[in-house]
Amino acid sequence: MRAYGFTAVGGPEQEAFLDVPEPVPGPGELLVRVRAAGVNPGDWRLREGSYGVEPPAVLGREVAGSVERLGPDVAGFAVGEEVFGGCPGMVGGFAPLARVTASFAAHRPDAVSPADAAVLPVAAGTAYDALAGLDLAPGAILLVNGAGGGVGLPVVQLAVARGITVVGIASRAKEDLLRRFGAVPVVYGEGVLDRVRAAAPGGVDAVFDLVGGDALRTVAGLLTDRSRLRSVADKPLVADLGGADVTRDRSTAVLTGLARLVGAGALDPHVTSVRPFDEAGAALAAVERGHEAGKVVLELP
């Protein structure tokens, strides 16, 4: 079958359409006929060697589609059902057929489009798990550093839905978007701490960082209790600062809950670009440049 992946570790020049065998679902896996696949920064980082995947390999880590076949020891799903979920090993999604981890898959409600469902496992799932780990009470104030990105926007929406006040650091171009989703926007750059203190004069109760580096070090100074600091952008630094990475759940229960919120209109996955499969390279390049306004999806025939 025709799939999109990479032939050697390196830059975009290593990407190509590949002719690969149809995958066979292993124990605890579904074989899914893909309708839509989410495109993520982790895809180009994987191509660059960040996760140790040996090429050639098919890119793509989250999909939505119909169940084509069940692997051994799978319960709760049937052939022909519409599902969405994460691909084992973070690979295989940019193809007509993909393996999906059954324990990290859920049924797709009719009210949720394949494109919206396809982008829930990685970004919205990370946001959900971050909030679960912080366990903030209604009325708490959460600072989100990098609030305008793929994970930032769902964490804003999910936190607001829990009654948490969100102060979101992002670019000036994202101010209106953050306000629409219920956050108090703060523009990043010099003087950002003063702007955060003006937005939250009583201080913040927790920080969720999606930027890393000096930006993470700067906002960490707002917390006296560093156990309330989380980052998925700079795991070594957040540990040095006394915080932690986000512990991922990756469960059917989480995905089912997220889909329910989307169907009810309480969570907008913010898909802003749906491209045909033939444009897989251009879609990944757009994500790698980092200027997409929302989530990018590949649509398969």
Side-chain angles (χ1 to χ4, degrees), residues 151-189:
V151 178
L153 290 176
V155 85
V156 165
Q157 296 176 73
L158 293 171
V160 169
R162 294 180 180 212
I164 296 166
T165 297
V166 179
V167 177
I169 300 175
S171 67
R172 190 170 298 280
K174 298 289 183 73
E175 283 185 289
D176 289 344
L177 182 62
L178 290 178
R179 286 193 187 95
R180 175 157 69 87
F181 287 139
V184 179
V186 168
V187 178
Y188 64 74

Side-chain angles (χ1 to χ4, degrees), residues 49-170:
S50 293
Y51 304 105
V53 174
E54 292 293 328
V58 177
L59 293 166
R61 59 187 57 196
E62 56 180 355
V63 300
S66 59
V67 177
E68 188 87 358
R69 182 176 166 189
L70 303 177
D73 306 320
V74 171
F77 296 96
V79 172
E81 291 180 331
E82 292 291 325
V83 299
F84 65 103
C87 301
M90 302 182 291
V91 295
F94 295 170
L97 291 167
R99 293 158 50 228
V100 171
T101 304
S103 61
F104 191 34
H107 294 96
R108 178 177 67 82
D110 291 341
V112 180
S113 71
D116 281 350
V119 301
L120 294 177
V122 175
T126 300
Y128 185 99
D129 292 341
L131 288 172
L134 287 170
D135 194 25
L136 298 172
I141 298 178
L142 171 66
L143 176 66
V144 180
N145 192 29
V151 178
L153 290 176
V155 85
V156 165
Q157 296 176 73
L158 293 171
V160 169
R162 294 180 180 212
I164 296 166
T165 297
V166 179
V167 177
I169 300 175

